[in-house]
Amino acid sequence: MDNDAALASTHGTNAPPPPGAPLPSLAALSEQLEALLKLRVPPIGMQLLQTAEQLQAIPRLRRPKAVHTMDQIVGQATRLGWTVGITADDLVGDQCRFVVGLGQDDPAWHTGRHMAGVWFATVEDATRHQAAMHRVPQGMYRALVAAPLRKWSGTPGAPLGAPDIVLFYATPGAMMYFINGLQWSGYRNFQWGVVGESSCADSWGRALNTREPSLSIPCFAERRYGGVLDDELLMALTAADVAKALDGMRALAGNGLRYPFPQYGIQMDARAGMSVSYPHETPAAKETQE
């Protein structure tokens, strides 16, 4: 799908969808997002499940044959296109389990002692880091599934039906354009933190817990184990917010603002370029009017 087709195929107008309006299919959202942002890898959906038995109903599900980090599970869904289901036992440690609410709470984890001398100078520093992490409350869920967004039906309650959140990797420029789309209507100033190592807490941990758009700079573990490239950022949010951003990006495109951003030139007279985006405000526009 090219940019023009993607821009025309969300809700059909420059206005945001009315509250409660049905979303486009998740496969369509995936295709549009890939086309507009020139994504290297497709977006995925992630869902927490209350029982491990729910995994058995998911078609073409892969269960790990080794112990992994959560970053690897996300990488398998994103970069290999797999549908992957896990329980706490499939993850290498509590640093992975606790972000997504799996496993049983362990007071020792909260001290961060295992990270002291590795990522932080003292146990006190590590303890503050652990307390700063966004996490899903434990005790509610026993399993998790991640799969490419195009595979989800969008039907709540169905196996691989409606994901809790959508995740996608993008370059900084593409991510900024996506955020511009989110801010087109109902503007808000997004405030995102950086917890440091274990930054999956900033993305899927925060989004699963709050359902708020959550941007992160992927950490060492995500890049070493999850295959994340050096210039990639990660966004996690609901499918409804993806649709909202797509509507916003289509409106921006109607104003001539599209991704990728064309380079103007660092030595050019800026007035001619600015007059295209702001035709009533720049000196060049005023000179033309006179």
Side-chain angles (χ1 to χ4, degrees), residues 1-11 24-39 150 246 249-250 258-260:
M1 178 183 290
D2 60 22
N3 267 25
D4 291 334
L7 288 165
S9 60
T10 49
H11 290 94
S25 75
L26 296 180
L29 286 183
S30 178
E31 187 177 11
Q32 293 156 25
L33 194 61
E34 289 183 68
L36 286 177
L37 299 183
K38 307 297 188 292
L39 299 182
R150 59 181 169 78
L246 286 167
M249 287 187 285
R250 186 177 63 253
R258 297 189 175 207
Y259 181 80

PDB file of all heavy atoms in Angstrom, residues 1-11 24-39 150 246 249-250 258-260:
ATOM      1  N   MET A   1       0.854  -1.193   0.000  1.00  0.00           N
ATOM      2  CA  MET A   1       0.000   0.000   0.000  1.00  0.00           C
ATOM      3  C   MET A   1       0.887   1.239   0.000  1.00  0.00           C
ATOM      4  O   MET A   1       1.799   1.358   0.801  1.00  0.00           O
ATOM      5  CB  MET A   1      -0.891  -0.007   1.249  1.00  0.00           C
ATOM      6  CG  MET A   1      -1.785   1.225   1.369  1.00  0.00           C
ATOM      7  SD  MET A   1      -2.776   1.228   2.893  1.00  0.00           S
ATOM      8  CE  MET A   1      -3.932  -0.088   2.545  1.00  0.00           C
ATOM      9  N   ASP A   2       0.611   2.217  -0.913  1.00  0.00           N
ATOM     10  CA  ASP A   2       1.412   3.430  -0.927  1.00  0.00           C
ATOM     11  C   ASP A   2       0.853   4.446   0.071  1.00  0.00           C
ATOM     12  O   ASP A   2      -0.178   4.241   0.690  1.00  0.00           O
ATOM     13  CB  ASP A   2       1.481   4.019  -2.330  1.00  0.00           C
ATOM     14  CG  ASP A   2       0.108   4.397  -2.886  1.00  0.00           C
ATOM     15  OD1 ASP A   2      -0.826   4.600  -2.080  1.00  0.00           O
ATOM     16  OD2 ASP A   2      -0.019   4.499  -4.116  1.00  0.00           O
ATOM     17  N   ASN A   3       1.564   5.569   0.211  1.00  0.00           N
ATOM     18  CA  ASN A   3       1.161   6.573   1.189  1.00  0.00           C
ATOM     19  C   ASN A   3      -0.234   7.104   0.937  1.00  0.00           C
ATOM     20  O   ASN A   3      -1.034   7.254   1.847  1.00  0.00           O
ATOM     21  CB  ASN A   3       2.157   7.739   1.177  1.00  0.00           C
ATOM     22  CG  ASN A   3       3.253   7.558   2.193  1.00  0.00           C
ATOM     23  OD1 ASN A   3       3.553   6.430   2.567  1.00  0.00           O
ATOM     24  ND2 ASN A   3       3.849   8.654   2.632  1.00  0.00           N
ATOM     25  N   ASP A   4      -0.548   7.407  -0.326  1.00  0.00           N
ATOM     26  CA  ASP A   4      -1.856   7.981  -0.628  1.00  0.00           C
ATOM     27  C   ASP A   4      -2.980   7.024  -0.262  1.00  0.00           C
ATOM     28  O   ASP A   4      -4.000   7.425   0.313  1.00  0.00           O
ATOM     29  CB  ASP A   4      -1.950   8.342  -2.107  1.00  0.00           C
ATOM     30  CG  ASP A   4      -1.038   9.517  -2.472  1.00  0.00           C
ATOM     31  OD1 ASP A   4      -0.741  10.321  -1.566  1.00  0.00           O
ATOM     32  OD2 ASP A   4      -0.632   9.609  -3.642  1.00  0.00           O
ATOM     33  N   ALA A   5      -2.804   5.759  -0.583  1.00  0.00           N
ATOM     34  CA  ALA A   5      -3.832   4.779  -0.241  1.00  0.00           C
ATOM     35  C   ALA A   5      -3.959   4.613   1.262  1.00  0.00           C
ATOM     36  O   ALA A   5      -5.064   4.515   1.805  1.00  0.00           O
ATOM     37  CB  ALA A   5      -3.505   3.431  -0.896  1.00  0.00           C
ATOM     38  N   ALA A   6      -2.810   4.592   1.942  1.00  0.00           N
ATOM     39  CA  ALA A   6      -2.847   4.451   3.397  1.00  0.00           C
ATOM     40  C   ALA A   6      -3.526   5.643   4.040  1.00  0.00           C
ATOM     41  O   ALA A   6      -4.312   5.506   4.973  1.00  0.00           O
ATOM     42  CB  ALA A   6      -1.430   4.289   3.949  1.00  0.00           C
ATOM     43  N   LEU A   7      -3.248   6.829   3.536  1.00  0.00           N
ATOM     44  CA  LEU A   7      -3.821   8.030   4.120  1.00  0.00           C
ATOM     45  C   LEU A   7      -5.322   8.104   3.899  1.00  0.00           C
ATOM     46  O   LEU A   7      -6.043   8.730   4.659  1.00  0.00           O
ATOM     47  CB  LEU A   7      -3.148   9.268   3.525  1.00  0.00           C
ATOM     48  CG  LEU A   7      -1.709   9.501   3.997  1.00  0.00           C
ATOM     49  CD1 LEU A   7      -1.028  10.505   3.094  1.00  0.00           C
ATOM     50  CD2 LEU A   7      -1.694   9.976   5.435  1.00  0.00           C
ATOM     51  N   ALA A   8      -5.814   7.464   2.871  1.00  0.00           N
ATOM     52  CA  ALA A   8      -7.238   7.551   2.546  1.00  0.00           C
ATOM     53  C   ALA A   8      -8.060   6.429   3.157  1.00  0.00           C
ATOM     54  O   ALA A   8      -9.266   6.402   2.994  1.00  0.00           O
ATOM     55  CB  ALA A   8      -7.416   7.518   1.030  1.00  0.00           C
ATOM     56  N   SER A   9      -7.432   5.502   3.886  1.00  0.00           N
ATOM     57  CA  SER A   9      -8.161   4.279   4.204  1.00  0.00           C
ATOM     58  C   SER A   9      -8.390   4.049   5.683  1.00  0.00           C
ATOM     59  O   SER A   9      -8.714   2.945   6.082  1.00  0.00           O
ATOM     60  CB  SER A   9      -7.394   3.080   3.635  1.00  0.00           C
ATOM     61  OG  SER A   9      -6.095   3.011   4.197  1.00  0.00           O
ATOM     62  N   THR A  10      -8.248   5.069   6.529  1.00  0.00           N
ATOM     63  CA  THR A  10      -8.571   4.854   7.926  1.00  0.00           C
ATOM     64  C   THR A  10     -10.052   5.140   8.158  1.00  0.00           C
ATOM     65  O   THR A  10     -10.888   4.262   8.103  1.00  0.00           O
ATOM     66  CB  THR A  10      -7.680   5.716   8.843  1.00  0.00           C
ATOM     67  OG1 THR A  10      -7.681   7.064   8.366  1.00  0.00           O
ATOM     68  CG2 THR A  10      -6.268   5.187   8.864  1.00  0.00           C
ATOM     69  N   HIS A  11     -10.420   6.403   8.388  1.00  0.00           N
ATOM     70  CA  HIS A  11     -11.833   6.714   8.588  1.00  0.00           C
ATOM     71  C   HIS A  11     -12.415   7.572   7.476  1.00  0.00           C
ATOM     72  O   HIS A  11     -13.587   7.942   7.530  1.00  0.00           O
ATOM     73  CB  HIS A  11     -12.021   7.413   9.939  1.00  0.00           C
ATOM     74  CG  HIS A  11     -11.799   6.510  11.100  1.00  0.00           C
ATOM     75  ND1 HIS A  11     -10.578   6.423  11.727  1.00  0.00           N
ATOM     76  CD2 HIS A  11     -12.607   5.631  11.734  1.00  0.00           C
ATOM     77  CE1 HIS A  11     -10.660   5.543  12.712  1.00  0.00           C
ATOM     78  NE2 HIS A  11     -11.867   5.046  12.736  1.00  0.00           N
ATOM     79  N   PRO A  24     -10.932   0.356  12.107  1.00  0.00           N
ATOM     80  CA  PRO A  24     -10.606  -0.491  10.960  1.00  0.00           C
ATOM     81  C   PRO A  24     -10.070  -1.831  11.459  1.00  0.00           C
ATOM     82  O   PRO A  24      -9.692  -1.969  12.623  1.00  0.00           O
ATOM     83  CB  PRO A  24      -9.519   0.309  10.232  1.00  0.00           C
ATOM     84  CG  PRO A  24      -9.626   1.702  10.747  1.00  0.00           C
ATOM     85  CD  PRO A  24     -10.136   1.587  12.145  1.00  0.00           C
ATOM     86  N   SER A  25     -10.023  -2.818  10.598  1.00  0.00           N
ATOM     87  CA  SER A  25      -9.470  -4.105  11.002  1.00  0.00           C
ATOM     88  C   SER A  25      -8.028  -3.926  11.447  1.00  0.00           C
ATOM     89  O   SER A  25      -7.323  -3.010  10.993  1.00  0.00           O
ATOM     90  CB  SER A  25      -9.547  -5.103   9.843  1.00  0.00           C
ATOM     91  OG  SER A  25      -8.559  -4.809   8.871  1.00  0.00           O
ATOM     92  N   LEU A  26      -7.604  -4.793  12.342  1.00  0.00           N
ATOM     93  CA  LEU A  26      -6.237  -4.687  12.838  1.00  0.00           C
ATOM     94  C   LEU A  26      -5.233  -4.954  11.724  1.00  0.00           C
ATOM     95  O   LEU A  26      -4.141  -4.363  11.715  1.00  0.00           O
ATOM     96  CB  LEU A  26      -6.040  -5.651  14.000  1.00  0.00           C
ATOM     97  CG  LEU A  26      -6.909  -5.340  15.231  1.00  0.00           C
ATOM     98  CD1 LEU A  26      -6.652  -6.347  16.348  1.00  0.00           C
ATOM     99  CD2 LEU A  26      -6.693  -3.922  15.724  1.00  0.00           C
ATOM    100  N   ALA A  27      -5.572  -5.820  10.790  1.00  0.00           N
ATOM    101  CA  ALA A  27      -4.700  -6.034   9.634  1.00  0.00           C
ATOM    102  C   ALA A  27      -4.563  -4.755   8.822  1.00  0.00           C
ATOM    103  O   ALA A  27      -3.478  -4.415   8.340  1.00  0.00           O
ATOM    104  CB  ALA A  27      -5.241  -7.166   8.765  1.00  0.00           C
ATOM    105  N   ALA A  28      -5.674  -4.011   8.678  1.00  0.00           N
ATOM    106  CA  ALA A  28      -5.624  -2.746   7.946  1.00  0.00           C
ATOM    107  C   ALA A  28      -4.798  -1.713   8.694  1.00  0.00           C
ATOM    108  O   ALA A  28      -4.006  -0.978   8.090  1.00  0.00           O
ATOM    109  CB  ALA A  28      -7.040  -2.222   7.710  1.00  0.00           C
ATOM    110  N   LEU A  29      -4.957  -1.646  10.024  1.00  0.00           N
ATOM    111  CA  LEU A  29      -4.145  -0.726  10.810  1.00  0.00           C
ATOM    112  C   LEU A  29      -2.659  -1.033  10.640  1.00  0.00           C
ATOM    113  O   LEU A  29      -1.835  -0.130  10.490  1.00  0.00           O
ATOM    114  CB  LEU A  29      -4.510  -0.811  12.290  1.00  0.00           C
ATOM    115  CG  LEU A  29      -5.833  -0.192  12.748  1.00  0.00           C
ATOM    116  CD1 LEU A  29      -5.967  -0.322  14.259  1.00  0.00           C
ATOM    117  CD2 LEU A  29      -5.936   1.262  12.339  1.00  0.00           C
ATOM    118  N   SER A  30      -2.332  -2.306  10.657  1.00  0.00           N
ATOM    119  CA  SER A  30      -0.936  -2.718  10.496  1.00  0.00           C
ATOM    120  C   SER A  30      -0.399  -2.285   9.142  1.00  0.00           C
ATOM    121  O   SER A  30       0.692  -1.706   9.039  1.00  0.00           O
ATOM    122  CB  SER A  30      -0.825  -4.237  10.649  1.00  0.00           C
ATOM    123  OG  SER A  30       0.503  -4.666  10.444  1.00  0.00           O
ATOM    124  N   GLU A  31      -1.167  -2.531   8.101  1.00  0.00           N
ATOM    125  CA  GLU A  31      -0.723  -2.195   6.748  1.00  0.00           C
ATOM    126  C   GLU A  31      -0.547  -0.688   6.587  1.00  0.00           C
ATOM    127  O   GLU A  31       0.432  -0.223   5.990  1.00  0.00           O
ATOM    128  CB  GLU A  31      -1.735  -2.736   5.734  1.00  0.00           C
ATOM    129  CG  GLU A  31      -1.287  -2.581   4.294  1.00  0.00           C
ATOM    130  CD  GLU A  31      -2.276  -3.198   3.319  1.00  0.00           C
ATOM    131  OE1 GLU A  31      -3.394  -3.560   3.744  1.00  0.00           O
ATOM    132  OE2 GLU A  31      -1.932  -3.309   2.127  1.00  0.00           O
ATOM    133  N   GLN A  32      -1.492   0.076   7.120  1.00  0.00           N
ATOM    134  CA  GLN A  32      -1.421   1.529   6.999  1.00  0.00           C
ATOM    135  C   GLN A  32      -0.227   2.096   7.762  1.00  0.00           C
ATOM    136  O   GLN A  32       0.484   2.986   7.278  1.00  0.00           O
ATOM    137  CB  GLN A  32      -2.724   2.147   7.495  1.00  0.00           C
ATOM    138  CG  GLN A  32      -3.929   1.816   6.627  1.00  0.00           C
ATOM    139  CD  GLN A  32      -5.231   1.924   7.385  1.00  0.00           C
ATOM    140  OE1 GLN A  32      -5.338   2.652   8.370  1.00  0.00           O
ATOM    141  NE2 GLN A  32      -6.235   1.174   6.942  1.00  0.00           N
ATOM    142  N   LEU A  33      -0.004   1.579   8.954  1.00  0.00           N
ATOM    143  CA  LEU A  33       1.111   2.057   9.772  1.00  0.00           C
ATOM    144  C   LEU A  33       2.443   1.750   9.100  1.00  0.00           C
ATOM    145  O   LEU A  33       3.341   2.601   9.050  1.00  0.00           O
ATOM    146  CB  LEU A  33       1.045   1.408  11.155  1.00  0.00           C
ATOM    147  CG  LEU A  33       1.909   2.012  12.258  1.00  0.00           C
ATOM    148  CD1 LEU A  33       1.518   3.452  12.528  1.00  0.00           C
ATOM    149  CD2 LEU A  33       1.796   1.181  13.535  1.00  0.00           C
ATOM    150  N   GLU A  34       2.578   0.550   8.572  1.00  0.00           N
ATOM    151  CA  GLU A  34       3.808   0.179   7.866  1.00  0.00           C
ATOM    152  C   GLU A  34       4.044   1.093   6.665  1.00  0.00           C
ATOM    153  O   GLU A  34       5.174   1.525   6.403  1.00  0.00           O
ATOM    154  CB  GLU A  34       3.733  -1.270   7.412  1.00  0.00           C
ATOM    155  CG  GLU A  34       3.833  -2.291   8.536  1.00  0.00           C
ATOM    156  CD  GLU A  34       3.825  -3.706   8.003  1.00  0.00           C
ATOM    157  OE1 GLU A  34       4.807  -4.111   7.342  1.00  0.00           O
ATOM    158  OE2 GLU A  34       2.811  -4.415   8.228  1.00  0.00           O
ATOM    159  N   ALA A  35       2.980   1.381   5.921  1.00  0.00           N
ATOM    160  CA  ALA A  35       3.130   2.189   4.715  1.00  0.00           C
ATOM    161  C   ALA A  35       3.478   3.632   5.033  1.00  0.00           C
ATOM    162  O   ALA A  35       4.362   4.233   4.414  1.00  0.00           O
ATOM    163  CB  ALA A  35       1.844   2.127   3.891  1.00  0.00           C
ATOM    164  N   LEU A  36       2.804   4.210   6.013  1.00  0.00           N
ATOM    165  CA  LEU A  36       3.001   5.627   6.312  1.00  0.00           C
ATOM    166  C   LEU A  36       4.363   5.908   6.940  1.00  0.00           C
ATOM    167  O   LEU A  36       4.982   6.932   6.652  1.00  0.00           O
ATOM    168  CB  LEU A  36       1.902   6.122   7.246  1.00  0.00           C
ATOM    169  CG  LEU A  36       0.529   6.329   6.620  1.00  0.00           C
ATOM    170  CD1 LEU A  36      -0.478   6.741   7.672  1.00  0.00           C
ATOM    171  CD2 LEU A  36       0.599   7.397   5.536  1.00  0.00           C
ATOM    172  N   LEU A  37       4.815   5.018   7.808  1.00  0.00           N
ATOM    173  CA  LEU A  37       6.060   5.257   8.535  1.00  0.00           C
ATOM    174  C   LEU A  37       7.252   4.506   7.959  1.00  0.00           C
ATOM    175  O   LEU A  37       8.356   4.589   8.496  1.00  0.00           O
ATOM    176  CB  LEU A  37       5.879   4.886  10.017  1.00  0.00           C
ATOM    177  CG  LEU A  37       4.820   5.683  10.777  1.00  0.00           C
ATOM    178  CD1 LEU A  37       4.815   5.261  12.249  1.00  0.00           C
ATOM    179  CD2 LEU A  37       5.035   7.178  10.643  1.00  0.00           C
ATOM    180  N   LYS A  38       7.027   3.771   6.867  1.00  0.00           N
ATOM    181  CA  LYS A  38       8.114   3.017   6.224  1.00  0.00           C
ATOM    182  C   LYS A  38       8.808   2.100   7.235  1.00  0.00           C
ATOM    183  O   LYS A  38      10.032   2.060   7.346  1.00  0.00           O
ATOM    184  CB  LYS A  38       9.136   3.976   5.600  1.00  0.00           C
ATOM    185  CG  LYS A  38       8.551   5.023   4.662  1.00  0.00           C
ATOM    186  CD  LYS A  38       7.899   4.370   3.448  1.00  0.00           C
ATOM    187  CE  LYS A  38       7.487   5.401   2.404  1.00  0.00           C
ATOM    188  NZ  LYS A  38       6.373   6.263   2.850  1.00  0.00           N
ATOM    189  N   LEU A  39       7.999   1.371   7.996  1.00  0.00           N
ATOM    190  CA  LEU A  39       8.543   0.527   9.057  1.00  0.00           C
ATOM    191  C   LEU A  39       9.371  -0.614   8.480  1.00  0.00           C
ATOM    192  O   LEU A  39       9.030  -1.207   7.461  1.00  0.00           O
ATOM    193  CB  LEU A  39       7.418  -0.054   9.917  1.00  0.00           C
ATOM    194  CG  LEU A  39       6.526   0.957  10.643  1.00  0.00           C
ATOM    195  CD1 LEU A  39       5.492   0.225  11.487  1.00  0.00           C
ATOM    196  CD2 LEU A  39       7.348   1.910  11.503  1.00  0.00           C
ATOM    197  N   ARG A 150      -1.336  -8.031  12.230  1.00  0.00           N
ATOM    198  CA  ARG A 150      -2.195  -8.469  11.125  1.00  0.00           C
ATOM    199  C   ARG A 150      -2.871  -9.804  11.415  1.00  0.00           C
ATOM    200  O   ARG A 150      -3.854 -10.160  10.762  1.00  0.00           O
ATOM    201  CB  ARG A 150      -1.375  -8.586   9.841  1.00  0.00           C
ATOM    202  CG  ARG A 150      -0.213  -9.545   9.935  1.00  0.00           C
ATOM    203  CD  ARG A 150       0.595  -9.636   8.658  1.00  0.00           C
ATOM    204  NE  ARG A 150       1.839 -10.361   8.845  1.00  0.00           N
ATOM    205  CZ  ARG A 150       1.937 -11.686   8.921  1.00  0.00           C
ATOM    206  NH1 ARG A 150       0.841 -12.441   8.808  1.00  0.00           N
ATOM    207  NH2 ARG A 150       3.109 -12.269   9.099  1.00  0.00           N
ATOM    208  N   LEU A 246      -3.215   7.589  13.011  1.00  0.00           N
ATOM    209  CA  LEU A 246      -3.331   7.476  11.559  1.00  0.00           C
ATOM    210  C   LEU A 246      -4.238   8.571  11.002  1.00  0.00           C
ATOM    211  O   LEU A 246      -3.942   9.167   9.958  1.00  0.00           O
ATOM    212  CB  LEU A 246      -3.862   6.096  11.179  1.00  0.00           C
ATOM    213  CG  LEU A 246      -2.868   4.931  11.323  1.00  0.00           C
ATOM    214  CD1 LEU A 246      -3.595   3.599  11.226  1.00  0.00           C
ATOM    215  CD2 LEU A 246      -1.774   5.024  10.276  1.00  0.00           C
ATOM    216  N   MET A 249      -2.183  11.742  11.092  1.00  0.00           N
ATOM    217  CA  MET A 249      -1.158  11.803  10.047  1.00  0.00           C
ATOM    218  C   MET A 249      -1.773  12.078   8.687  1.00  0.00           C
ATOM    219  O   MET A 249      -1.176  12.751   7.851  1.00  0.00           O
ATOM    220  CB  MET A 249      -0.345  10.502  10.043  1.00  0.00           C
ATOM    221  CG  MET A 249       0.598  10.371  11.221  1.00  0.00           C
ATOM    222  SD  MET A 249       1.702   8.924  11.123  1.00  0.00           S
ATOM    223  CE  MET A 249       0.557   7.594  11.539  1.00  0.00           C
ATOM    224  N   ARG A 250      -2.979  11.573   8.452  1.00  0.00           N
ATOM    225  CA  ARG A 250      -3.637  11.866   7.184  1.00  0.00           C
ATOM    226  C   ARG A 250      -3.978  13.356   7.083  1.00  0.00           C
ATOM    227  O   ARG A 250      -3.821  13.977   6.032  1.00  0.00           O
ATOM    228  CB  ARG A 250      -4.906  11.025   7.034  1.00  0.00           C
ATOM    229  CG  ARG A 250      -5.548  11.188   5.649  1.00  0.00           C
ATOM    230  CD  ARG A 250      -6.770  10.307   5.453  1.00  0.00           C
ATOM    231  NE  ARG A 250      -7.818  10.668   6.371  1.00  0.00           N
ATOM    232  CZ  ARG A 250      -8.175   9.937   7.431  1.00  0.00           C
ATOM    233  NH1 ARG A 250      -7.533   8.820   7.700  1.00  0.00           N
ATOM    234  NH2 ARG A 250      -9.160  10.316   8.220  1.00  0.00           N
ATOM    235  N   ARG A 258       4.482  15.286   5.357  1.00  0.00           N
ATOM    236  CA  ARG A 258       4.511  13.838   5.192  1.00  0.00           C
ATOM    237  C   ARG A 258       5.863  13.277   5.588  1.00  0.00           C
ATOM    238  O   ARG A 258       6.862  13.989   5.603  1.00  0.00           O
ATOM    239  CB  ARG A 258       4.210  13.453   3.741  1.00  0.00           C
ATOM    240  CG  ARG A 258       2.830  13.859   3.265  1.00  0.00           C
ATOM    241  CD  ARG A 258       2.517  13.269   1.904  1.00  0.00           C
ATOM    242  NE  ARG A 258       1.155  13.560   1.504  1.00  0.00           N
ATOM    243  CZ  ARG A 258       0.442  12.787   0.678  1.00  0.00           C
ATOM    244  NH1 ARG A 258       0.974  11.693   0.179  1.00  0.00           N
ATOM    245  NH2 ARG A 258      -0.784  13.113   0.343  1.00  0.00           N
ATOM    246  N   TYR A 259       5.834  12.001   5.910  1.00  0.00           N
ATOM    247  CA  TYR A 259       7.076  11.289   6.212  1.00  0.00           C
ATOM    248  C   TYR A 259       7.422  10.393   5.017  1.00  0.00           C
ATOM    249  O   TYR A 259       6.525   9.776   4.451  1.00  0.00           O
ATOM    250  CB  TYR A 259       6.905  10.428   7.481  1.00  0.00           C
ATOM    251  CG  TYR A 259       8.171   9.697   7.835  1.00  0.00           C
ATOM    252  CD1 TYR A 259       9.207  10.346   8.508  1.00  0.00           C
ATOM    253  CD2 TYR A 259       8.354   8.370   7.455  1.00  0.00           C
ATOM    254  CE1 TYR A 259      10.390   9.682   8.799  1.00  0.00           C
ATOM    255  CE2 TYR A 259       9.535   7.700   7.743  1.00  0.00           C
ATOM    256  CZ  TYR A 259      10.544   8.366   8.418  1.00  0.00           C
ATOM    257  OH  TYR A 259      11.722   7.715   8.694  1.00  0.00           O
ATOM    258  N   PRO A 260       8.715  10.306   4.639  1.00  0.00           N
ATOM    259  CA  PRO A 260       9.879  10.945   5.264  1.00  0.00           C
ATOM    260  C   PRO A 260       9.943  12.429   4.961  1.00  0.00           C
ATOM    261  O   PRO A 260       9.489  12.884   3.914  1.00  0.00           O
ATOM    262  CB  PRO A 260      11.056  10.192   4.664  1.00  0.00           C
ATOM    263  CG  PRO A 260      10.558   9.695   3.338  1.00  0.00           C
ATOM    264  CD  PRO A 260       9.102   9.389   3.540  1.00  0.00           C
TER     265      PRO A 260
END
